[in-house]
Amino acid sequence: MFAVLLVGFSVAGFLNPDVFSAGQAHLHPLLAGANTVVLLSSGALVAAATRRLSQGLSFRAYLAAAMAVGVVFLVIKGTEYSAMFAAGFGIESSTFFQLYFLVTGFHALHIVFGLLLLAIGAWQRDLDTLETAAAFWHLLDLLWVVIFPVVYLPR
């Protein structure tokens, strides 16, 4: 699904370069860059928690920290959305903003679901469950590393 969204975003940007350039000029690449660091840091904490559980060590503090950092991602994304809305940009503003909110909003929704999976992993204290949640979380890291340059970096 994300591949289709990102290819669609790229094709629409190719077909409407002025609209996309104008839209990108209103984004906050520094916030998105900070979110990249935040999400990758959370992924490292999830990996550490998984490693610790596999070794029979306490892991929940690492997982709680990973989840807290995941919430920071959502707070930064919410701050970015609030700034867009306050500036008068919404999903109806242009093709760029339709696709921007669709791609980044769909990713944010998956972050919420990923946080739920991590909470289940913490509660279950089962390595298979945590590894499954961690794999999903790392997929979200990877997706953001692709979303960031496609959406935020000017062409």
Side-chain angles (χ1 to χ4, degrees), residues 92-132:
E92 74 289 342
S93 297
S94 70
T95 303
F96 172 82
F97 283 107
Q98 287 174 347
L99 293 171
Y100 161 77
F101 284 114
L102 181 63
V103 170
T104 61
F106 196 51
H107 182 263
L109 183 62
H110 280 77
I111 293 289
V112 171
F113 182 67
L115 289 170
L116 177 63
L117 290 178
L118 292 176
I120 291 169
W123 175 63
Q124 292 275 323
R125 192 178 168 83
D126 173 70
L127 185 58
D128 288 338
T129 302
L130 185 56
E131 284 178 339
T132 301

PDB file of all heavy atoms in Angstrom, residues 92-132:
ATOM      1  N   GLU A  92      -7.990  19.600   1.184  1.00  0.00           N
ATOM      2  CA  GLU A  92      -8.650  20.164   0.004  1.00  0.00           C
ATOM      3  C   GLU A  92      -7.819  21.253  -0.691  1.00  0.00           C
ATOM      4  O   GLU A  92      -8.204  21.752  -1.747  1.00  0.00           O
ATOM      5  CB  GLU A  92     -10.012  20.738   0.402  1.00  0.00           C
ATOM      6  CG  GLU A  92      -9.954  22.044   1.181  1.00  0.00           C
ATOM      7  CD  GLU A  92      -9.429  21.937   2.617  1.00  0.00           C
ATOM      8  OE1 GLU A  92      -9.402  20.845   3.190  1.00  0.00           O
ATOM      9  OE2 GLU A  92      -9.039  22.979   3.155  1.00  0.00           O
ATOM     10  N   SER A  93      -6.669  21.590  -0.147  1.00  0.00           N
ATOM     11  CA  SER A  93      -5.883  22.703  -0.668  1.00  0.00           C
ATOM     12  C   SER A  93      -5.295  22.456  -2.049  1.00  0.00           C
ATOM     13  O   SER A  93      -5.272  23.353  -2.883  1.00  0.00           O
ATOM     14  CB  SER A  93      -4.754  23.054   0.301  1.00  0.00           C
ATOM     15  OG  SER A  93      -5.284  23.493   1.534  1.00  0.00           O
ATOM     16  N   SER A  94      -4.772  21.250  -2.259  1.00  0.00           N
ATOM     17  CA  SER A  94      -4.161  20.921  -3.551  1.00  0.00           C
ATOM     18  C   SER A  94      -3.921  19.424  -3.607  1.00  0.00           C
ATOM     19  O   SER A  94      -4.026  18.728  -2.598  1.00  0.00           O
ATOM     20  CB  SER A  94      -2.835  21.669  -3.745  1.00  0.00           C
ATOM     21  OG  SER A  94      -1.841  21.166  -2.865  1.00  0.00           O
ATOM     22  N   THR A  95      -3.548  18.962  -4.780  1.00  0.00           N
ATOM     23  CA  THR A  95      -3.188  17.557  -4.932  1.00  0.00           C
ATOM     24  C   THR A  95      -2.010  17.213  -4.021  1.00  0.00           C
ATOM     25  O   THR A  95      -1.974  16.140  -3.422  1.00  0.00           O
ATOM     26  CB  THR A  95      -2.809  17.248  -6.399  1.00  0.00           C
ATOM     27  OG1 THR A  95      -3.905  17.609  -7.233  1.00  0.00           O
ATOM     28  CG2 THR A  95      -2.478  15.786  -6.592  1.00  0.00           C
ATOM     29  N   PHE A  96      -1.063  18.135  -3.903  1.00  0.00           N
ATOM     30  CA  PHE A  96       0.069  17.898  -3.022  1.00  0.00           C
ATOM     31  C   PHE A  96      -0.402  17.623  -1.600  1.00  0.00           C
ATOM     32  O   PHE A  96       0.010  16.641  -0.983  1.00  0.00           O
ATOM     33  CB  PHE A  96       1.044  19.083  -3.015  1.00  0.00           C
ATOM     34  CG  PHE A  96       2.115  18.934  -1.970  1.00  0.00           C
ATOM     35  CD1 PHE A  96       3.233  18.149  -2.224  1.00  0.00           C
ATOM     36  CD2 PHE A  96       1.992  19.536  -0.729  1.00  0.00           C
ATOM     37  CE1 PHE A  96       4.210  17.975  -1.251  1.00  0.00           C
ATOM     38  CE2 PHE A  96       2.960  19.366   0.246  1.00  0.00           C
ATOM     39  CZ  PHE A  96       4.068  18.588  -0.016  1.00  0.00           C
ATOM     40  N   PHE A  97      -1.242  18.500  -1.066  1.00  0.00           N
ATOM     41  CA  PHE A  97      -1.667  18.330   0.324  1.00  0.00           C
ATOM     42  C   PHE A  97      -2.597  17.132   0.498  1.00  0.00           C
ATOM     43  O   PHE A  97      -2.579  16.496   1.555  1.00  0.00           O
ATOM     44  CB  PHE A  97      -2.285  19.626   0.860  1.00  0.00           C
ATOM     45  CG  PHE A  97      -1.234  20.638   1.211  1.00  0.00           C
ATOM     46  CD1 PHE A  97      -1.033  21.749   0.412  1.00  0.00           C
ATOM     47  CD2 PHE A  97      -0.414  20.469   2.311  1.00  0.00           C
ATOM     48  CE1 PHE A  97      -0.047  22.671   0.720  1.00  0.00           C
ATOM     49  CE2 PHE A  97       0.580  21.382   2.632  1.00  0.00           C
ATOM     50  CZ  PHE A  97       0.757  22.495   1.828  1.00  0.00           C
ATOM     51  N   GLN A  98      -3.377  16.800  -0.504  1.00  0.00           N
ATOM     52  CA  GLN A  98      -4.169  15.564  -0.422  1.00  0.00           C
ATOM     53  C   GLN A  98      -3.262  14.370  -0.208  1.00  0.00           C
ATOM     54  O   GLN A  98      -3.482  13.550   0.687  1.00  0.00           O
ATOM     55  CB  GLN A  98      -4.991  15.357  -1.699  1.00  0.00           C
ATOM     56  CG  GLN A  98      -6.165  16.269  -1.848  1.00  0.00           C
ATOM     57  CD  GLN A  98      -6.845  16.105  -3.205  1.00  0.00           C
ATOM     58  OE1 GLN A  98      -6.317  15.489  -4.121  1.00  0.00           O
ATOM     59  NE2 GLN A  98      -8.027  16.683  -3.322  1.00  0.00           N
ATOM     60  N   LEU A  99      -2.228  14.282  -1.039  1.00  0.00           N
ATOM     61  CA  LEU A  99      -1.322  13.141  -0.951  1.00  0.00           C
ATOM     62  C   LEU A  99      -0.409  13.226   0.269  1.00  0.00           C
ATOM     63  O   LEU A  99      -0.098  12.206   0.889  1.00  0.00           O
ATOM     64  CB  LEU A  99      -0.521  13.014  -2.237  1.00  0.00           C
ATOM     65  CG  LEU A  99      -1.364  12.626  -3.459  1.00  0.00           C
ATOM     66  CD1 LEU A  99      -0.545  12.725  -4.736  1.00  0.00           C
ATOM     67  CD2 LEU A  99      -1.942  11.235  -3.298  1.00  0.00           C
ATOM     68  N   TYR A 100       0.000  14.424   0.635  1.00  0.00           N
ATOM     69  CA  TYR A 100       0.834  14.607   1.830  1.00  0.00           C
ATOM     70  C   TYR A 100       0.101  14.088   3.069  1.00  0.00           C
ATOM     71  O   TYR A 100       0.650  13.291   3.838  1.00  0.00           O
ATOM     72  CB  TYR A 100       1.201  16.084   1.995  1.00  0.00           C
ATOM     73  CG  TYR A 100       1.643  16.440   3.383  1.00  0.00           C
ATOM     74  CD1 TYR A 100       2.914  16.114   3.832  1.00  0.00           C
ATOM     75  CD2 TYR A 100       0.785  17.090   4.263  1.00  0.00           C
ATOM     76  CE1 TYR A 100       3.318  16.428   5.118  1.00  0.00           C
ATOM     77  CE2 TYR A 100       1.183  17.412   5.541  1.00  0.00           C
ATOM     78  CZ  TYR A 100       2.441  17.068   5.971  1.00  0.00           C
ATOM     79  OH  TYR A 100       2.836  17.377   7.251  1.00  0.00           O
ATOM     80  N   PHE A 101      -1.139  14.550   3.264  1.00  0.00           N
ATOM     81  CA  PHE A 101      -1.893  14.111   4.435  1.00  0.00           C
ATOM     82  C   PHE A 101      -2.238  12.628   4.364  1.00  0.00           C
ATOM     83  O   PHE A 101      -2.262  11.938   5.386  1.00  0.00           O
ATOM     84  CB  PHE A 101      -3.158  14.959   4.627  1.00  0.00           C
ATOM     85  CG  PHE A 101      -2.884  16.323   5.190  1.00  0.00           C
ATOM     86  CD1 PHE A 101      -3.127  17.460   4.432  1.00  0.00           C
ATOM     87  CD2 PHE A 101      -2.383  16.488   6.472  1.00  0.00           C
ATOM     88  CE1 PHE A 101      -2.874  18.725   4.945  1.00  0.00           C
ATOM     89  CE2 PHE A 101      -2.120  17.748   6.995  1.00  0.00           C
ATOM     90  CZ  PHE A 101      -2.370  18.879   6.224  1.00  0.00           C
ATOM     91  N   LEU A 102      -2.476  12.115   3.171  1.00  0.00           N
ATOM     92  CA  LEU A 102      -2.786  10.695   3.023  1.00  0.00           C
ATOM     93  C   LEU A 102      -1.572   9.836   3.390  1.00  0.00           C
ATOM     94  O   LEU A 102      -1.677   8.907   4.203  1.00  0.00           O
ATOM     95  CB  LEU A 102      -3.243  10.398   1.596  1.00  0.00           C
ATOM     96  CG  LEU A 102      -3.620   8.953   1.306  1.00  0.00           C
ATOM     97  CD1 LEU A 102      -4.813   8.515   2.144  1.00  0.00           C
ATOM     98  CD2 LEU A 102      -3.935   8.782  -0.172  1.00  0.00           C
ATOM     99  N   VAL A 103      -0.421  10.142   2.810  1.00  0.00           N
ATOM    100  CA  VAL A 103       0.784   9.340   3.062  1.00  0.00           C
ATOM    101  C   VAL A 103       1.222   9.444   4.522  1.00  0.00           C
ATOM    102  O   VAL A 103       1.431   8.433   5.203  1.00  0.00           O
ATOM    103  CB  VAL A 103       1.934   9.761   2.121  1.00  0.00           C
ATOM    104  CG1 VAL A 103       3.253   9.124   2.530  1.00  0.00           C
ATOM    105  CG2 VAL A 103       1.603   9.408   0.675  1.00  0.00           C
ATOM    106  N   THR A 104       1.369  10.668   5.016  1.00  0.00           N
ATOM    107  CA  THR A 104       1.881  10.837   6.380  1.00  0.00           C
ATOM    108  C   THR A 104       0.837  10.462   7.431  1.00  0.00           C
ATOM    109  O   THR A 104       1.187   9.941   8.486  1.00  0.00           O
ATOM    110  CB  THR A 104       2.396  12.267   6.611  1.00  0.00           C
ATOM    111  OG1 THR A 104       1.323  13.203   6.424  1.00  0.00           O
ATOM    112  CG2 THR A 104       3.547  12.589   5.666  1.00  0.00           C
ATOM    113  N   GLY A 105      -0.428  10.702   7.124  1.00  0.00           N
ATOM    114  CA  GLY A 105      -1.482  10.318   8.061  1.00  0.00           C
ATOM    115  C   GLY A 105      -1.635   8.809   8.156  1.00  0.00           C
ATOM    116  O   GLY A 105      -1.847   8.253   9.246  1.00  0.00           O
ATOM    117  N   PHE A 106      -1.532   8.122   7.029  1.00  0.00           N
ATOM    118  CA  PHE A 106      -1.606   6.665   7.012  1.00  0.00           C
ATOM    119  C   PHE A 106      -0.437   6.079   7.796  1.00  0.00           C
ATOM    120  O   PHE A 106      -0.598   5.113   8.548  1.00  0.00           O
ATOM    121  CB  PHE A 106      -1.631   6.179   5.560  1.00  0.00           C
ATOM    122  CG  PHE A 106      -2.080   4.764   5.361  1.00  0.00           C
ATOM    123  CD1 PHE A 106      -3.254   4.297   5.923  1.00  0.00           C
ATOM    124  CD2 PHE A 106      -1.320   3.904   4.584  1.00  0.00           C
ATOM    125  CE1 PHE A 106      -3.672   2.991   5.727  1.00  0.00           C
ATOM    126  CE2 PHE A 106      -1.726   2.593   4.380  1.00  0.00           C
ATOM    127  CZ  PHE A 106      -2.909   2.130   4.959  1.00  0.00           C
ATOM    128  N   HIS A 107       0.737   6.681   7.646  1.00  0.00           N
ATOM    129  CA  HIS A 107       1.899   6.232   8.411  1.00  0.00           C
ATOM    130  C   HIS A 107       1.675   6.475   9.905  1.00  0.00           C
ATOM    131  O   HIS A 107       1.956   5.597  10.734  1.00  0.00           O
ATOM    132  CB  HIS A 107       3.169   6.941   7.928  1.00  0.00           C
ATOM    133  CG  HIS A 107       4.394   6.486   8.642  1.00  0.00           C
ATOM    134  ND1 HIS A 107       4.916   7.176   9.712  1.00  0.00           N
ATOM    135  CD2 HIS A 107       5.210   5.407   8.441  1.00  0.00           C
ATOM    136  CE1 HIS A 107       5.997   6.540  10.147  1.00  0.00           C
ATOM    137  NE2 HIS A 107       6.198   5.463   9.392  1.00  0.00           N
ATOM    138  N   ALA A 108       1.160   7.651  10.263  1.00  0.00           N
ATOM    139  CA  ALA A 108       0.901   7.961  11.675  1.00  0.00           C
ATOM    140  C   ALA A 108      -0.116   6.976  12.266  1.00  0.00           C
ATOM    141  O   ALA A 108       0.027   6.551  13.426  1.00  0.00           O
ATOM    142  CB  ALA A 108       0.410   9.401  11.822  1.00  0.00           C
ATOM    143  N   LEU A 109      -1.116   6.619  11.500  1.00  0.00           N
ATOM    144  CA  LEU A 109      -2.091   5.627  11.958  1.00  0.00           C
ATOM    145  C   LEU A 109      -1.404   4.285  12.231  1.00  0.00           C
ATOM    146  O   LEU A 109      -1.705   3.611  13.223  1.00  0.00           O
ATOM    147  CB  LEU A 109      -3.205   5.466  10.922  1.00  0.00           C
ATOM    148  CG  LEU A 109      -4.340   4.531  11.271  1.00  0.00           C
ATOM    149  CD1 LEU A 109      -5.096   5.016  12.505  1.00  0.00           C
ATOM    150  CD2 LEU A 109      -5.297   4.408  10.087  1.00  0.00           C
ATOM    151  N   HIS A 110      -0.474   3.922  11.387  1.00  0.00           N
ATOM    152  CA  HIS A 110       0.281   2.694  11.609  1.00  0.00           C
ATOM    153  C   HIS A 110       1.176   2.799  12.845  1.00  0.00           C
ATOM    154  O   HIS A 110       1.411   1.800  13.531  1.00  0.00           O
ATOM    155  CB  HIS A 110       1.110   2.339  10.370  1.00  0.00           C
ATOM    156  CG  HIS A 110       0.316   1.672   9.309  1.00  0.00           C
ATOM    157  ND1 HIS A 110      -0.538   2.346   8.477  1.00  0.00           N
ATOM    158  CD2 HIS A 110       0.228   0.360   8.961  1.00  0.00           C
ATOM    159  CE1 HIS A 110      -1.107   1.493   7.650  1.00  0.00           C
ATOM    160  NE2 HIS A 110      -0.664   0.283   7.928  1.00  0.00           N
ATOM    161  N   ILE A 111       1.674   3.992  13.134  1.00  0.00           N
ATOM    162  CA  ILE A 111       2.451   4.192  14.364  1.00  0.00           C
ATOM    163  C   ILE A 111       1.572   3.907  15.578  1.00  0.00           C
ATOM    164  O   ILE A 111       1.999   3.227  16.519  1.00  0.00           O
ATOM    165  CB  ILE A 111       3.035   5.631  14.435  1.00  0.00           C
ATOM    166  CG1 ILE A 111       4.091   5.849  13.349  1.00  0.00           C
ATOM    167  CG2 ILE A 111       3.589   5.939  15.822  1.00  0.00           C
ATOM    168  CD1 ILE A 111       5.398   5.113  13.566  1.00  0.00           C
ATOM    169  N   VAL A 112       0.345   4.400  15.564  1.00  0.00           N
ATOM    170  CA  VAL A 112      -0.586   4.139  16.669  1.00  0.00           C
ATOM    171  C   VAL A 112      -0.791   2.628  16.826  1.00  0.00           C
ATOM    172  O   VAL A 112      -0.737   2.091  17.940  1.00  0.00           O
ATOM    173  CB  VAL A 112      -1.934   4.869  16.454  1.00  0.00           C
ATOM    174  CG1 VAL A 112      -2.967   4.430  17.472  1.00  0.00           C
ATOM    175  CG2 VAL A 112      -1.725   6.381  16.495  1.00  0.00           C
ATOM    176  N   PHE A 113      -1.020   1.940  15.721  1.00  0.00           N
ATOM    177  CA  PHE A 113      -1.195   0.488  15.758  1.00  0.00           C
ATOM    178  C   PHE A 113       0.081  -0.192  16.254  1.00  0.00           C
ATOM    179  O   PHE A 113       0.028  -1.135  17.052  1.00  0.00           O
ATOM    180  CB  PHE A 113      -1.596  -0.031  14.371  1.00  0.00           C
ATOM    181  CG  PHE A 113      -1.843  -1.511  14.337  1.00  0.00           C
ATOM    182  CD1 PHE A 113      -2.928  -2.074  15.016  1.00  0.00           C
ATOM    183  CD2 PHE A 113      -0.992  -2.351  13.632  1.00  0.00           C
ATOM    184  CE1 PHE A 113      -3.151  -3.439  14.991  1.00  0.00           C
ATOM    185  CE2 PHE A 113      -1.211  -3.714  13.596  1.00  0.00           C
ATOM    186  CZ  PHE A 113      -2.298  -4.268  14.283  1.00  0.00           C
ATOM    187  N   GLY A 114       1.243   0.292  15.813  1.00  0.00           N
ATOM    188  CA  GLY A 114       2.511  -0.266  16.267  1.00  0.00           C
ATOM    189  C   GLY A 114       2.713  -0.096  17.765  1.00  0.00           C
ATOM    190  O   GLY A 114       3.230  -1.001  18.437  1.00  0.00           O
ATOM    191  N   LEU A 115       2.300   1.043  18.302  1.00  0.00           N
ATOM    192  CA  LEU A 115       2.382   1.253  19.754  1.00  0.00           C
ATOM    193  C   LEU A 115       1.517   0.244  20.496  1.00  0.00           C
ATOM    194  O   LEU A 115       1.918  -0.280  21.543  1.00  0.00           O
ATOM    195  CB  LEU A 115       1.970   2.686  20.112  1.00  0.00           C
ATOM    196  CG  LEU A 115       2.955   3.774  19.699  1.00  0.00           C
ATOM    197  CD1 LEU A 115       2.336   5.153  19.880  1.00  0.00           C
ATOM    198  CD2 LEU A 115       4.255   3.644  20.476  1.00  0.00           C
ATOM    199  N   LEU A 116       0.349  -0.046  19.953  1.00  0.00           N
ATOM    200  CA  LEU A 116      -0.525  -1.060  20.544  1.00  0.00           C
ATOM    201  C   LEU A 116       0.158  -2.430  20.525  1.00  0.00           C
ATOM    202  O   LEU A 116       0.135  -3.165  21.517  1.00  0.00           O
ATOM    203  CB  LEU A 116      -1.859  -1.100  19.801  1.00  0.00           C
ATOM    204  CG  LEU A 116      -2.852  -2.153  20.257  1.00  0.00           C
ATOM    205  CD1 LEU A 116      -3.273  -1.924  21.706  1.00  0.00           C
ATOM    206  CD2 LEU A 116      -4.073  -2.156  19.348  1.00  0.00           C
ATOM    207  N   LEU A 117       0.787  -2.770  19.410  1.00  0.00           N
ATOM    208  CA  LEU A 117       1.494  -4.051  19.316  1.00  0.00           C
ATOM    209  C   LEU A 117       2.647  -4.119  20.311  1.00  0.00           C
ATOM    210  O   LEU A 117       2.873  -5.166  20.940  1.00  0.00           O
ATOM    211  CB  LEU A 117       2.017  -4.275  17.898  1.00  0.00           C
ATOM    212  CG  LEU A 117       0.982  -4.538  16.822  1.00  0.00           C
ATOM    213  CD1 LEU A 117       1.659  -4.680  15.460  1.00  0.00           C
ATOM    214  CD2 LEU A 117       0.152  -5.770  17.134  1.00  0.00           C
ATOM    215  N   LEU A 118       3.378  -3.019  20.475  1.00  0.00           N
ATOM    216  CA  LEU A 118       4.472  -3.008  21.442  1.00  0.00           C
ATOM    217  C   LEU A 118       3.943  -3.164  22.863  1.00  0.00           C
ATOM    218  O   LEU A 118       4.556  -3.866  23.684  1.00  0.00           O
ATOM    219  CB  LEU A 118       5.295  -1.720  21.314  1.00  0.00           C
ATOM    220  CG  LEU A 118       6.099  -1.566  20.023  1.00  0.00           C
ATOM    221  CD1 LEU A 118       6.794  -0.206  19.989  1.00  0.00           C
ATOM    222  CD2 LEU A 118       7.111  -2.691  19.852  1.00  0.00           C
ATOM    223  N   ALA A 119       2.803  -2.545  23.151  1.00  0.00           N
ATOM    224  CA  ALA A 119       2.194  -2.701  24.477  1.00  0.00           C
ATOM    225  C   ALA A 119       1.798  -4.158  24.720  1.00  0.00           C
ATOM    226  O   ALA A 119       2.000  -4.690  25.823  1.00  0.00           O
ATOM    227  CB  ALA A 119       0.979  -1.778  24.610  1.00  0.00           C
ATOM    228  N   ILE A 120       1.273  -4.800  23.709  1.00  0.00           N
ATOM    229  CA  ILE A 120       0.928  -6.223  23.835  1.00  0.00           C
ATOM    230  C   ILE A 120       2.198  -7.040  24.064  1.00  0.00           C
ATOM    231  O   ILE A 120       2.212  -7.960  24.901  1.00  0.00           O
ATOM    232  CB  ILE A 120       0.152  -6.712  22.585  1.00  0.00           C
ATOM    233  CG1 ILE A 120      -1.223  -6.067  22.550  1.00  0.00           C
ATOM    234  CG2 ILE A 120       0.053  -8.236  22.563  1.00  0.00           C
ATOM    235  CD1 ILE A 120      -1.968  -6.261  21.235  1.00  0.00           C
ATOM    236  N   GLY A 121       3.264  -6.696  23.349  1.00  0.00           N
ATOM    237  CA  GLY A 121       4.543  -7.385  23.550  1.00  0.00           C
ATOM    238  C   GLY A 121       5.071  -7.225  24.964  1.00  0.00           C
ATOM    239  O   GLY A 121       5.624  -8.173  25.540  1.00  0.00           O
ATOM    240  N   ALA A 122       4.895  -6.061  25.549  1.00  0.00           N
ATOM    241  CA  ALA A 122       5.336  -5.826  26.924  1.00  0.00           C
ATOM    242  C   ALA A 122       4.478  -6.623  27.903  1.00  0.00           C
ATOM    243  O   ALA A 122       4.984  -7.195  28.875  1.00  0.00           O
ATOM    244  CB  ALA A 122       5.274  -4.338  27.256  1.00  0.00           C
ATOM    245  N   TRP A 123       3.213  -6.665  27.644  1.00  0.00           N
ATOM    246  CA  TRP A 123       2.273  -7.345  28.528  1.00  0.00           C
ATOM    247  C   TRP A 123       2.447  -8.863  28.467  1.00  0.00           C
ATOM    248  O   TRP A 123       2.440  -9.543  29.493  1.00  0.00           O
ATOM    249  CB  TRP A 123       0.850  -6.940  28.151  1.00  0.00           C
ATOM    250  CG  TRP A 123      -0.219  -7.641  28.905  1.00  0.00           C
ATOM    251  CD1 TRP A 123      -0.455  -7.584  30.253  1.00  0.00           C
ATOM    252  CD2 TRP A 123      -1.214  -8.504  28.357  1.00  0.00           C
ATOM    253  NE1 TRP A 123      -1.529  -8.355  30.565  1.00  0.00           N
ATOM    254  CE2 TRP A 123      -2.021  -8.939  29.415  1.00  0.00           C
ATOM    255  CE3 TRP A 123      -1.489  -8.935  27.067  1.00  0.00           C
ATOM    256  CZ2 TRP A 123      -3.090  -9.789  29.226  1.00  0.00           C
ATOM    257  CZ3 TRP A 123      -2.567  -9.782  26.877  1.00  0.00           C
ATOM    258  CH2 TRP A 123      -3.350 -10.199  27.941  1.00  0.00           C
ATOM    259  N   GLN A 124       2.638  -9.403  27.279  1.00  0.00           N
ATOM    260  CA  GLN A 124       2.722 -10.847  27.083  1.00  0.00           C
ATOM    261  C   GLN A 124       4.015 -11.451  27.631  1.00  0.00           C
ATOM    262  O   GLN A 124       4.028 -12.596  28.048  1.00  0.00           O
ATOM    263  CB  GLN A 124       2.621 -11.187  25.590  1.00  0.00           C
ATOM    264  CG  GLN A 124       1.270 -10.913  24.990  1.00  0.00           C
ATOM    265  CD  GLN A 124       0.323 -12.061  25.187  1.00  0.00           C
ATOM    266  OE1 GLN A 124       0.728 -13.210  25.132  1.00  0.00           O
ATOM    267  NE2 GLN A 124      -0.926 -11.752  25.411  1.00  0.00           N
ATOM    268  N   ARG A 125       5.107 -10.707  27.537  1.00  0.00           N
ATOM    269  CA  ARG A 125       6.431 -11.195  27.945  1.00  0.00           C
ATOM    270  C   ARG A 125       6.774 -12.499  27.205  1.00  0.00           C
ATOM    271  O   ARG A 125       7.297 -13.456  27.763  1.00  0.00           O
ATOM    272  CB  ARG A 125       6.521 -11.383  29.452  1.00  0.00           C
ATOM    273  CG  ARG A 125       7.938 -11.599  29.924  1.00  0.00           C
ATOM    274  CD  ARG A 125       8.063 -11.729  31.426  1.00  0.00           C
ATOM    275  NE  ARG A 125       9.357 -12.210  31.790  1.00  0.00           N
ATOM    276  CZ  ARG A 125      10.441 -11.459  31.916  1.00  0.00           C
ATOM    277  NH1 ARG A 125      10.374 -10.174  31.696  1.00  0.00           N
ATOM    278  NH2 ARG A 125      11.588 -11.981  32.261  1.00  0.00           N
ATOM    279  N   ASP A 126       6.469 -12.495  25.922  1.00  0.00           N
ATOM    280  CA  ASP A 126       6.718 -13.649  25.060  1.00  0.00           C
ATOM    281  C   ASP A 126       7.611 -13.181  23.913  1.00  0.00           C
ATOM    282  O   ASP A 126       7.279 -12.197  23.236  1.00  0.00           O
ATOM    283  CB  ASP A 126       5.382 -14.193  24.541  1.00  0.00           C
ATOM    284  CG  ASP A 126       5.560 -15.277  23.511  1.00  0.00           C
ATOM    285  OD1 ASP A 126       6.000 -16.378  23.886  1.00  0.00           O
ATOM    286  OD2 ASP A 126       5.267 -15.012  22.324  1.00  0.00           O
ATOM    287  N   LEU A 127       8.706 -13.890  23.686  1.00  0.00           N
ATOM    288  CA  LEU A 127       9.676 -13.450  22.691  1.00  0.00           C
ATOM    289  C   LEU A 127       9.081 -13.419  21.289  1.00  0.00           C
ATOM    290  O   LEU A 127       9.313 -12.465  20.542  1.00  0.00           O
ATOM    291  CB  LEU A 127      10.930 -14.332  22.724  1.00  0.00           C
ATOM    292  CG  LEU A 127      12.072 -13.884  21.803  1.00  0.00           C
ATOM    293  CD1 LEU A 127      12.516 -12.453  22.137  1.00  0.00           C
ATOM    294  CD2 LEU A 127      13.237 -14.856  21.902  1.00  0.00           C
ATOM    295  N   ASP A 128       8.301 -14.425  20.917  1.00  0.00           N
ATOM    296  CA  ASP A 128       7.701 -14.439  19.580  1.00  0.00           C
ATOM    297  C   ASP A 128       6.777 -13.246  19.380  1.00  0.00           C
ATOM    298  O   ASP A 128       6.789 -12.611  18.319  1.00  0.00           O
ATOM    299  CB  ASP A 128       6.930 -15.742  19.328  1.00  0.00           C
ATOM    300  CG  ASP A 128       7.846 -16.937  19.134  1.00  0.00           C
ATOM    301  OD1 ASP A 128       9.019 -16.732  18.789  1.00  0.00           O
ATOM    302  OD2 ASP A 128       7.374 -18.067  19.340  1.00  0.00           O
ATOM    303  N   THR A 129       5.986 -12.927  20.383  1.00  0.00           N
ATOM    304  CA  THR A 129       5.071 -11.790  20.291  1.00  0.00           C
ATOM    305  C   THR A 129       5.855 -10.490  20.152  1.00  0.00           C
ATOM    306  O   THR A 129       5.541  -9.646  19.302  1.00  0.00           O
ATOM    307  CB  THR A 129       4.160 -11.729  21.535  1.00  0.00           C
ATOM    308  OG1 THR A 129       3.434 -12.955  21.634  1.00  0.00           O
ATOM    309  CG2 THR A 129       3.196 -10.561  21.474  1.00  0.00           C
ATOM    310  N   LEU A 130       6.898 -10.338  20.972  1.00  0.00           N
ATOM    311  CA  LEU A 130       7.685  -9.110  20.911  1.00  0.00           C
ATOM    312  C   LEU A 130       8.445  -9.012  19.592  1.00  0.00           C
ATOM    313  O   LEU A 130       8.536  -7.925  19.009  1.00  0.00           O
ATOM    314  CB  LEU A 130       8.648  -9.013  22.096  1.00  0.00           C
ATOM    315  CG  LEU A 130       9.437  -7.709  22.177  1.00  0.00           C
ATOM    316  CD1 LEU A 130       8.504  -6.494  22.191  1.00  0.00           C
ATOM    317  CD2 LEU A 130      10.336  -7.711  23.400  1.00  0.00           C
ATOM    318  N   GLU A 131       8.975 -10.110  19.106  1.00  0.00           N
ATOM    319  CA  GLU A 131       9.679 -10.076  17.824  1.00  0.00           C
ATOM    320  C   GLU A 131       8.739  -9.697  16.679  1.00  0.00           C
ATOM    321  O   GLU A 131       9.138  -8.975  15.761  1.00  0.00           O
ATOM    322  CB  GLU A 131      10.350 -11.422  17.536  1.00  0.00           C
ATOM    323  CG  GLU A 131      11.603 -11.639  18.352  1.00  0.00           C
ATOM    324  CD  GLU A 131      12.244 -12.997  18.112  1.00  0.00           C
ATOM    325  OE1 GLU A 131      11.549 -13.931  17.644  1.00  0.00           O
ATOM    326  OE2 GLU A 131      13.440 -13.121  18.411  1.00  0.00           O
ATOM    327  N   THR A 132       7.502 -10.153  16.736  1.00  0.00           N
ATOM    328  CA  THR A 132       6.520  -9.778  15.710  1.00  0.00           C
ATOM    329  C   THR A 132       6.222  -8.289  15.784  1.00  0.00           C
ATOM    330  O   THR A 132       6.204  -7.594  14.759  1.00  0.00           O
ATOM    331  CB  THR A 132       5.229 -10.605  15.883  1.00  0.00           C
ATOM    332  OG1 THR A 132       5.552 -11.991  15.768  1.00  0.00           O
ATOM    333  CG2 THR A 132       4.189 -10.216  14.848  1.00  0.00           C
TER     334      THR A 132
END
